Amino acid sequence: MWKRCYHWFNERFDLPKIQKPINDQLTKPLPGHISWFHTLGSMSFFLFISQVLTGILLLIYYHPTQKEAFESIKFITNEVYMGWLYRQIHAWGSNLMIIIVFLHMLRTFVTGSYKKPREITWILGVLLFVMTVIFGFTGYLLPWNQLAYWATTVGTEIAGAVPFFGEFLKTFLRGGTAVGGETLSRFFVIHVIILPWALFFIVIFHLFCVRYLGMSTMDKVGEEKKVKEGQGVPFFPHHVLKEGIVLFVLLGVLITLSVFSPFELGEKANPLQTPHAIKPEWYFLSMYQVLKHFPKSIGIFVLGLAPLFLLIWPFLDRTPQRHPSKRPVSMTIGILVVLSLVIFGVLGWVSETRIHVFGKTYDVDMYGKPHLVPAQTPPVQKDIAP
Amino acid sequence: MKEADMNRSGEKEISRRTFVDWVIKGGLLVALAGVLYPALSYLRPVMRRGAISEMEEVGGVNDIPVWGGKKVIIGGSAVLIIRTPDAFKAFSAVCTHLGCLVDWDGQKREIICPCHAGIFDLNGRNISGPPPRPLPVYTVSVINNKIFVKV
Ligand code: FES
């Protein structure tokens, strides 16, 4: 049977000729230092596939209108068989994807893999990261609940602070003066049509670059030794096996989180009532926190620089070394950036909440500064002077 | 430049082929722009603005107690109406900081924003917190015990 199929196709396409490059790719040896950290890319890819599949399933029952969006998600969660599971996997998948894609970028940064000749691979990667975040932002609105509605209001308002055409941009994104049905449609189209396809093609291009240029070694730029046949780690089965194991674990984590820590749907969006202390999703928290310290337009400028720096990073860091221990400057910059992301993120997380530490209660203000609440004050007197 | 493109005095001359080439390229470009422009303008949101001077009725005088407030949506934007003992006031309810909707606190007689603790006074002026500008003020008229707001 198999033979006859092969024969049938072989009469039409020159199969051995097609097979050869595929085999070459499969057996291609990878540099010896390839480790578990080099599976982050395939993990991102796996999550993307998972998002596409669960996304398609959700689309079957989802209605992207102001009137029905919330109800249709509720329907998916409560009525449809396994609907809750797919919604949760989709929601958790998006969060994990942002973490994994970020870690992937971090790994590339640490191993200096973005250096010549792989600048374009890095740039495409940064684009993919940014798109993943936009995926998160646009998808967040679709359930049309209170948090989503107001997070989007604040998010698009920030776009409005862009100098000169901010106001236009804001209206353009919202499709009107306020977040409403038009915004939902726009975000929906971006989320389910534009981004998936754009991402798909960029991923292909990105993977092509990775394969064509070969995995980066730890050698100096320009002195990279080509891994010879029989040396290093064979892509198949060694590395693929590693990837398989990682994907298996990832799938387990994804489903465990979905089952044991589901996302709440909350209340339906109410354009007349802002919930208290509205915050963006966790991956925007650090940016959001930074924004609080600046007047809006300057804050935008500062935030806009970050992705720009990421994009042109290979052209800023021109030292030939790849090994992290030989690149003190870029490693310091990297560590500082990650640290500040974490610190501002945590500050943003606790800001405007009431926290309990060691039996004491603190009201945290919007800048993340805690103010001690005296032991037996009547509840929530919000603006007690420090 | 090929020899054929030169005339006798040695100046450059565009050959027929180059000329046609340019015409085709230019034509394509124009066609592309012609397609792109409507496509882009298609994306521009349709903003239905009512006649500017139009007054919108937002309810009867007795809907709002003294020192009470009410939020309504007029022409797609949220408006906060406050009743003081001697007048009605209307402000845009959209906080000038990041666009959250402000609330009226009747006890403290302040307009407060739930997002970053921005506070505005009875005249819509930002008095504390991050909001950079006062709230836009709208005109309110009371006619036959009905409240009208002009946005
Ligand atoms: S949005 Fe009102 S204080 Fe920030």
Side-chain angles (χ1 to χ4, degrees), chain A residues 337-365:
Chain A
V337 167
V338 173
L339 266 184
S340 59
L341 280 179
V342 171
I343 291 173
F344 279 111
V346 170
L347 284 180
W349 181 266
V350 296
S351 68
E352 293 169 83
T353 54
R354 183 166 267 221
I355 49 171
H356 305 275
V357 188
F358 298 127
K360 287 193 178 138
T361 311
Y362 298 89
D363 271 336
V364 186
D365 66 10

PDB file of all heavy atoms in Angstrom, chain A residues 337-365:
ATOM      1  N   VAL A 337      17.737  45.427  32.555  1.00  0.00           N
ATOM      2  CA  VAL A 337      16.415  45.520  31.914  1.00  0.00           C
ATOM      3  C   VAL A 337      15.457  44.500  32.534  1.00  0.00           C
ATOM      4  O   VAL A 337      14.341  44.834  32.922  1.00  0.00           O
ATOM      5  CB  VAL A 337      16.527  45.298  30.396  1.00  0.00           C
ATOM      6  CG1 VAL A 337      15.149  45.087  29.786  1.00  0.00           C
ATOM      7  CG2 VAL A 337      17.208  46.482  29.745  1.00  0.00           C
ATOM      8  N   VAL A 338      15.932  43.260  32.656  1.00  0.00           N
ATOM      9  CA  VAL A 338      15.056  42.232  33.213  1.00  0.00           C
ATOM     10  C   VAL A 338      14.674  42.573  34.653  1.00  0.00           C
ATOM     11  O   VAL A 338      13.509  42.484  35.042  1.00  0.00           O
ATOM     12  CB  VAL A 338      15.731  40.850  33.147  1.00  0.00           C
ATOM     13  CG1 VAL A 338      14.903  39.816  33.890  1.00  0.00           C
ATOM     14  CG2 VAL A 338      15.912  40.420  31.706  1.00  0.00           C
ATOM     15  N   LEU A 339      15.678  43.028  35.424  1.00  0.00           N
ATOM     16  CA  LEU A 339      15.394  43.406  36.813  1.00  0.00           C
ATOM     17  C   LEU A 339      14.349  44.501  36.882  1.00  0.00           C
ATOM     18  O   LEU A 339      13.404  44.427  37.674  1.00  0.00           O
ATOM     19  CB  LEU A 339      16.676  43.892  37.488  1.00  0.00           C
ATOM     20  CG  LEU A 339      17.467  42.841  38.261  1.00  0.00           C
ATOM     21  CD1 LEU A 339      18.644  43.494  38.954  1.00  0.00           C
ATOM     22  CD2 LEU A 339      16.561  42.166  39.280  1.00  0.00           C
ATOM     23  N   SER A 340      14.506  45.527  36.039  1.00  0.00           N
ATOM     24  CA  SER A 340      13.569  46.645  36.132  1.00  0.00           C
ATOM     25  C   SER A 340      12.176  46.196  35.680  1.00  0.00           C
ATOM     26  O   SER A 340      11.176  46.645  36.234  1.00  0.00           O
ATOM     27  CB  SER A 340      14.054  47.836  35.321  1.00  0.00           C
ATOM     28  OG  SER A 340      14.191  47.470  33.983  1.00  0.00           O
ATOM     29  N   LEU A 341      12.144  45.300  34.698  1.00  0.00           N
ATOM     30  CA  LEU A 341      10.840  44.767  34.303  1.00  0.00           C
ATOM     31  C   LEU A 341      10.160  44.104  35.496  1.00  0.00           C
ATOM     32  O   LEU A 341       8.981  44.327  35.765  1.00  0.00           O
ATOM     33  CB  LEU A 341      10.991  43.739  33.182  1.00  0.00           C
ATOM     34  CG  LEU A 341      11.183  44.257  31.768  1.00  0.00           C
ATOM     35  CD1 LEU A 341      11.332  43.099  30.801  1.00  0.00           C
ATOM     36  CD2 LEU A 341      10.001  45.119  31.360  1.00  0.00           C
ATOM     37  N   VAL A 342      10.941  43.288  36.206  1.00  0.00           N
ATOM     38  CA  VAL A 342      10.374  42.569  37.340  1.00  0.00           C
ATOM     39  C   VAL A 342       9.961  43.548  38.441  1.00  0.00           C
ATOM     40  O   VAL A 342       8.841  43.494  38.962  1.00  0.00           O
ATOM     41  CB  VAL A 342      11.388  41.543  37.889  1.00  0.00           C
ATOM     42  CG1 VAL A 342      10.876  40.946  39.198  1.00  0.00           C
ATOM     43  CG2 VAL A 342      11.633  40.453  36.864  1.00  0.00           C
ATOM     44  N   ILE A 343      10.854  44.483  38.772  1.00  0.00           N
ATOM     45  CA  ILE A 343      10.566  45.400  39.877  1.00  0.00           C
ATOM     46  C   ILE A 343       9.330  46.257  39.568  1.00  0.00           C
ATOM     47  O   ILE A 343       8.394  46.334  40.364  1.00  0.00           O
ATOM     48  CB  ILE A 343      11.782  46.295  40.171  1.00  0.00           C
ATOM     49  CG1 ILE A 343      12.895  45.423  40.765  1.00  0.00           C
ATOM     50  CG2 ILE A 343      11.412  47.423  41.129  1.00  0.00           C
ATOM     51  CD1 ILE A 343      14.192  46.147  40.954  1.00  0.00           C
ATOM     52  N   PHE A 344       9.333  46.857  38.388  1.00  0.00           N
ATOM     53  CA  PHE A 344       8.180  47.694  38.052  1.00  0.00           C
ATOM     54  C   PHE A 344       6.914  46.862  37.935  1.00  0.00           C
ATOM     55  O   PHE A 344       5.829  47.303  38.287  1.00  0.00           O
ATOM     56  CB  PHE A 344       8.439  48.471  36.760  1.00  0.00           C
ATOM     57  CG  PHE A 344       9.257  49.697  36.980  1.00  0.00           C
ATOM     58  CD1 PHE A 344      10.552  49.787  36.502  1.00  0.00           C
ATOM     59  CD2 PHE A 344       8.734  50.771  37.682  1.00  0.00           C
ATOM     60  CE1 PHE A 344      11.317  50.921  36.720  1.00  0.00           C
ATOM     61  CE2 PHE A 344       9.492  51.912  37.900  1.00  0.00           C
ATOM     62  CZ  PHE A 344      10.787  51.978  37.410  1.00  0.00           C
ATOM     63  N   GLY A 345       7.080  45.639  37.450  1.00  0.00           N
ATOM     64  CA  GLY A 345       5.925  44.757  37.351  1.00  0.00           C
ATOM     65  C   GLY A 345       5.321  44.480  38.717  1.00  0.00           C
ATOM     66  O   GLY A 345       4.111  44.559  38.906  1.00  0.00           O
ATOM     67  N   VAL A 346       6.186  44.180  39.677  1.00  0.00           N
ATOM     68  CA  VAL A 346       5.698  43.890  41.027  1.00  0.00           C
ATOM     69  C   VAL A 346       5.074  45.138  41.639  1.00  0.00           C
ATOM     70  O   VAL A 346       3.991  45.080  42.237  1.00  0.00           O
ATOM     71  CB  VAL A 346       6.840  43.351  41.908  1.00  0.00           C
ATOM     72  CG1 VAL A 346       6.399  43.288  43.362  1.00  0.00           C
ATOM     73  CG2 VAL A 346       7.266  41.989  41.428  1.00  0.00           C
ATOM     74  N   LEU A 347       5.725  46.280  41.447  1.00  0.00           N
ATOM     75  CA  LEU A 347       5.155  47.533  41.965  1.00  0.00           C
ATOM     76  C   LEU A 347       3.772  47.765  41.365  1.00  0.00           C
ATOM     77  O   LEU A 347       2.831  48.137  42.063  1.00  0.00           O
ATOM     78  CB  LEU A 347       6.070  48.710  41.625  1.00  0.00           C
ATOM     79  CG  LEU A 347       7.338  48.833  42.472  1.00  0.00           C
ATOM     80  CD1 LEU A 347       8.140  50.040  42.024  1.00  0.00           C
ATOM     81  CD2 LEU A 347       6.977  48.956  43.937  1.00  0.00           C
ATOM     82  N   GLY A 348       3.678  47.546  40.057  1.00  0.00           N
ATOM     83  CA  GLY A 348       2.385  47.728  39.399  1.00  0.00           C
ATOM     84  C   GLY A 348       1.351  46.741  39.933  1.00  0.00           C
ATOM     85  O   GLY A 348       0.186  47.063  40.099  1.00  0.00           O
ATOM     86  N   TRP A 349       1.837  45.565  40.221  1.00  0.00           N
ATOM     87  CA  TRP A 349       0.948  44.504  40.716  1.00  0.00           C
ATOM     88  C   TRP A 349       0.336  44.885  42.052  1.00  0.00           C
ATOM     89  O   TRP A 349      -0.868  44.744  42.275  1.00  0.00           O
ATOM     90  CB  TRP A 349       1.771  43.228  40.847  1.00  0.00           C
ATOM     91  CG  TRP A 349       1.005  42.048  41.331  1.00  0.00           C
ATOM     92  CD1 TRP A 349       0.897  41.621  42.625  1.00  0.00           C
ATOM     93  CD2 TRP A 349       0.243  41.139  40.546  1.00  0.00           C
ATOM     94  NE1 TRP A 349       0.129  40.503  42.679  1.00  0.00           N
ATOM     95  CE2 TRP A 349      -0.297  40.177  41.425  1.00  0.00           C
ATOM     96  CE3 TRP A 349      -0.027  41.052  39.175  1.00  0.00           C
ATOM     97  CZ2 TRP A 349      -1.095  39.139  40.978  1.00  0.00           C
ATOM     98  CZ3 TRP A 349      -0.833  40.021  38.739  1.00  0.00           C
ATOM     99  CH2 TRP A 349      -1.355  39.076  39.635  1.00  0.00           C
ATOM    100  N   VAL A 350       1.177  45.400  42.966  1.00  0.00           N
ATOM    101  CA  VAL A 350       0.657  45.685  44.306  1.00  0.00           C
ATOM    102  C   VAL A 350       0.065  47.076  44.416  1.00  0.00           C
ATOM    103  O   VAL A 350      -0.603  47.382  45.401  1.00  0.00           O
ATOM    104  CB  VAL A 350       1.747  45.535  45.393  1.00  0.00           C
ATOM    105  CG1 VAL A 350       2.226  44.109  45.466  1.00  0.00           C
ATOM    106  CG2 VAL A 350       2.888  46.485  45.152  1.00  0.00           C
ATOM    107  N   SER A 351       0.301  47.937  43.400  1.00  0.00           N
ATOM    108  CA  SER A 351      -0.164  49.304  43.554  1.00  0.00           C
ATOM    109  C   SER A 351      -1.679  49.334  43.700  1.00  0.00           C
ATOM    110  O   SER A 351      -2.396  48.544  43.084  1.00  0.00           O
ATOM    111  CB  SER A 351       0.266  50.145  42.354  1.00  0.00           C
ATOM    112  OG  SER A 351      -0.421  49.731  41.214  1.00  0.00           O
ATOM    113  N   GLU A 352      -2.118  50.252  44.516  1.00  0.00           N
ATOM    114  CA  GLU A 352      -3.546  50.462  44.758  1.00  0.00           C
ATOM    115  C   GLU A 352      -4.262  49.210  45.253  1.00  0.00           C
ATOM    116  O   GLU A 352      -5.384  48.916  44.853  1.00  0.00           O
ATOM    117  CB  GLU A 352      -4.225  50.983  43.492  1.00  0.00           C
ATOM    118  CG  GLU A 352      -3.751  52.371  43.158  1.00  0.00           C
ATOM    119  CD  GLU A 352      -4.204  52.779  41.780  1.00  0.00           C
ATOM    120  OE1 GLU A 352      -5.345  53.225  41.704  1.00  0.00           O
ATOM    121  OE2 GLU A 352      -3.445  52.648  40.830  1.00  0.00           O
ATOM    122  N   THR A 353      -3.563  48.447  46.071  1.00  0.00           N
ATOM    123  CA  THR A 353      -4.238  47.340  46.733  1.00  0.00           C
ATOM    124  C   THR A 353      -3.913  47.443  48.214  1.00  0.00           C
ATOM    125  O   THR A 353      -3.121  48.274  48.645  1.00  0.00           O
ATOM    126  CB  THR A 353      -3.751  45.973  46.241  1.00  0.00           C
ATOM    127  OG1 THR A 353      -2.337  45.915  46.380  1.00  0.00           O
ATOM    128  CG2 THR A 353      -4.128  45.730  44.802  1.00  0.00           C
ATOM    129  N   ARG A 354      -4.517  46.558  48.964  1.00  0.00           N
ATOM    130  CA  ARG A 354      -4.241  46.498  50.390  1.00  0.00           C
ATOM    131  C   ARG A 354      -3.512  45.192  50.624  1.00  0.00           C
ATOM    132  O   ARG A 354      -3.986  44.132  50.210  1.00  0.00           O
ATOM    133  CB  ARG A 354      -5.587  46.527  51.127  1.00  0.00           C
ATOM    134  CG  ARG A 354      -5.483  46.538  52.602  1.00  0.00           C
ATOM    135  CD  ARG A 354      -6.841  46.922  53.147  1.00  0.00           C
ATOM    136  NE  ARG A 354      -6.880  48.348  53.356  1.00  0.00           N
ATOM    137  CZ  ARG A 354      -7.454  48.878  54.446  1.00  0.00           C
ATOM    138  NH1 ARG A 354      -8.048  48.123  55.335  1.00  0.00           N
ATOM    139  NH2 ARG A 354      -7.452  50.181  54.620  1.00  0.00           N
ATOM    140  N   ILE A 355      -2.304  45.258  51.174  1.00  0.00           N
ATOM    141  CA  ILE A 355      -1.574  44.010  51.362  1.00  0.00           C
ATOM    142  C   ILE A 355      -1.325  43.757  52.842  1.00  0.00           C
ATOM    143  O   ILE A 355      -1.295  44.689  53.656  1.00  0.00           O
ATOM    144  CB  ILE A 355      -0.227  43.991  50.608  1.00  0.00           C
ATOM    145  CG1 ILE A 355       0.561  45.273  50.887  1.00  0.00           C
ATOM    146  CG2 ILE A 355      -0.435  43.813  49.131  1.00  0.00           C
ATOM    147  CD1 ILE A 355       1.972  45.221  50.360  1.00  0.00           C
ATOM    148  N   HIS A 356      -1.156  42.505  53.178  1.00  0.00           N
ATOM    149  CA  HIS A 356      -0.886  42.117  54.551  1.00  0.00           C
ATOM    150  C   HIS A 356       0.474  41.454  54.608  1.00  0.00           C
ATOM    151  O   HIS A 356       0.709  40.459  53.960  1.00  0.00           O
ATOM    152  CB  HIS A 356      -1.948  41.137  55.053  1.00  0.00           C
ATOM    153  CG  HIS A 356      -3.328  41.675  54.893  1.00  0.00           C
ATOM    154  ND1 HIS A 356      -3.930  42.493  55.824  1.00  0.00           N
ATOM    155  CD2 HIS A 356      -4.224  41.539  53.890  1.00  0.00           C
ATOM    156  CE1 HIS A 356      -5.130  42.821  55.402  1.00  0.00           C
ATOM    157  NE2 HIS A 356      -5.330  42.255  54.226  1.00  0.00           N
ATOM    158  N   VAL A 357       1.392  42.069  55.342  1.00  0.00           N
ATOM    159  CA  VAL A 357       2.713  41.488  55.493  1.00  0.00           C
ATOM    160  C   VAL A 357       3.014  41.377  56.974  1.00  0.00           C
ATOM    161  O   VAL A 357       2.916  42.371  57.711  1.00  0.00           O
ATOM    162  CB  VAL A 357       3.793  42.379  54.827  1.00  0.00           C
ATOM    163  CG1 VAL A 357       5.132  41.657  54.828  1.00  0.00           C
ATOM    164  CG2 VAL A 357       3.388  42.701  53.405  1.00  0.00           C
ATOM    165  N   PHE A 358       3.379  40.209  57.433  1.00  0.00           N
ATOM    166  CA  PHE A 358       3.732  39.981  58.841  1.00  0.00           C
ATOM    167  C   PHE A 358       2.710  40.574  59.795  1.00  0.00           C
ATOM    168  O   PHE A 358       3.037  41.315  60.714  1.00  0.00           O
ATOM    169  CB  PHE A 358       5.118  40.574  59.151  1.00  0.00           C
ATOM    170  CG  PHE A 358       6.203  39.929  58.350  1.00  0.00           C
ATOM    171  CD1 PHE A 358       7.085  40.697  57.605  1.00  0.00           C
ATOM    172  CD2 PHE A 358       6.345  38.547  58.334  1.00  0.00           C
ATOM    173  CE1 PHE A 358       8.079  40.100  56.857  1.00  0.00           C
ATOM    174  CE2 PHE A 358       7.341  37.940  57.596  1.00  0.00           C
ATOM    175  CZ  PHE A 358       8.208  38.718  56.851  1.00  0.00           C
ATOM    176  N   GLY A 359       1.456  40.317  59.561  1.00  0.00           N
ATOM    177  CA  GLY A 359       0.420  40.760  60.481  1.00  0.00           C
ATOM    178  C   GLY A 359       0.134  42.248  60.426  1.00  0.00           C
ATOM    179  O   GLY A 359      -0.662  42.760  61.197  1.00  0.00           O
ATOM    180  N   LYS A 360       0.778  42.972  59.519  1.00  0.00           N
ATOM    181  CA  LYS A 360       0.466  44.393  59.403  1.00  0.00           C
ATOM    182  C   LYS A 360      -0.214  44.639  58.070  1.00  0.00           C
ATOM    183  O   LYS A 360       0.007  43.919  57.101  1.00  0.00           O
ATOM    184  CB  LYS A 360       1.748  45.226  59.485  1.00  0.00           C
ATOM    185  CG  LYS A 360       2.295  45.274  60.889  1.00  0.00           C
ATOM    186  CD  LYS A 360       3.353  46.347  61.002  1.00  0.00           C
ATOM    187  CE  LYS A 360       3.857  46.412  62.427  1.00  0.00           C
ATOM    188  NZ  LYS A 360       5.295  46.567  62.504  1.00  0.00           N
ATOM    189  N   THR A 361      -1.018  45.653  58.052  1.00  0.00           N
ATOM    190  CA  THR A 361      -1.754  45.947  56.836  1.00  0.00           C
ATOM    191  C   THR A 361      -1.228  47.238  56.224  1.00  0.00           C
ATOM    192  O   THR A 361      -0.988  48.212  56.931  1.00  0.00           O
ATOM    193  CB  THR A 361      -3.242  46.112  57.148  1.00  0.00           C
ATOM    194  OG1 THR A 361      -3.640  44.997  57.936  1.00  0.00           O
ATOM    195  CG2 THR A 361      -4.060  46.158  55.885  1.00  0.00           C
ATOM    196  N   TYR A 362      -1.027  47.198  54.913  1.00  0.00           N
ATOM    197  CA  TYR A 362      -0.555  48.388  54.220  1.00  0.00           C
ATOM    198  C   TYR A 362      -1.500  48.721  53.089  1.00  0.00           C
ATOM    199  O   TYR A 362      -1.989  47.832  52.397  1.00  0.00           O
ATOM    200  CB  TYR A 362       0.834  48.166  53.616  1.00  0.00           C
ATOM    201  CG  TYR A 362       1.904  47.871  54.624  1.00  0.00           C
ATOM    202  CD1 TYR A 362       2.173  46.566  55.013  1.00  0.00           C
ATOM    203  CD2 TYR A 362       2.670  48.901  55.168  1.00  0.00           C
ATOM    204  CE1 TYR A 362       3.166  46.285  55.927  1.00  0.00           C
ATOM    205  CE2 TYR A 362       3.667  48.644  56.081  1.00  0.00           C
ATOM    206  CZ  TYR A 362       3.911  47.330  56.469  1.00  0.00           C
ATOM    207  OH  TYR A 362       4.894  47.065  57.369  1.00  0.00           O
ATOM    208  N   ASP A 363      -1.737  50.018  52.892  1.00  0.00           N
ATOM    209  CA  ASP A 363      -2.379  50.459  51.672  1.00  0.00           C
ATOM    210  C   ASP A 363      -1.268  50.879  50.731  1.00  0.00           C
ATOM    211  O   ASP A 363      -0.447  51.732  51.084  1.00  0.00           O
ATOM    212  CB  ASP A 363      -3.299  51.651  51.947  1.00  0.00           C
ATOM    213  CG  ASP A 363      -4.697  51.174  52.301  1.00  0.00           C
ATOM    214  OD1 ASP A 363      -5.038  50.056  51.899  1.00  0.00           O
ATOM    215  OD2 ASP A 363      -5.412  51.921  52.987  1.00  0.00           O
ATOM    216  N   VAL A 364      -1.245  50.298  49.559  1.00  0.00           N
ATOM    217  CA  VAL A 364      -0.197  50.648  48.611  1.00  0.00           C
ATOM    218  C   VAL A 364      -0.744  51.700  47.667  1.00  0.00           C
ATOM    219  O   VAL A 364      -1.836  51.547  47.123  1.00  0.00           O
ATOM    220  CB  VAL A 364       0.250  49.409  47.823  1.00  0.00           C
ATOM    221  CG1 VAL A 364       1.438  49.740  46.955  1.00  0.00           C
ATOM    222  CG2 VAL A 364       0.583  48.280  48.771  1.00  0.00           C
ATOM    223  N   ASP A 365      -0.005  52.795  47.495  1.00  0.00           N
ATOM    224  CA  ASP A 365      -0.521  53.855  46.626  1.00  0.00           C
ATOM    225  C   ASP A 365      -0.199  53.530  45.165  1.00  0.00           C
ATOM    226  O   ASP A 365       0.361  52.485  44.846  1.00  0.00           O
ATOM    227  CB  ASP A 365       0.012  55.225  47.040  1.00  0.00           C
ATOM    228  CG  ASP A 365       1.514  55.346  46.824  1.00  0.00           C
ATOM    229  OD1 ASP A 365       2.096  54.447  46.186  1.00  0.00           O
ATOM    230  OD2 ASP A 365       2.094  56.329  47.310  1.00  0.00           O
TER     231      ASP A 365
END
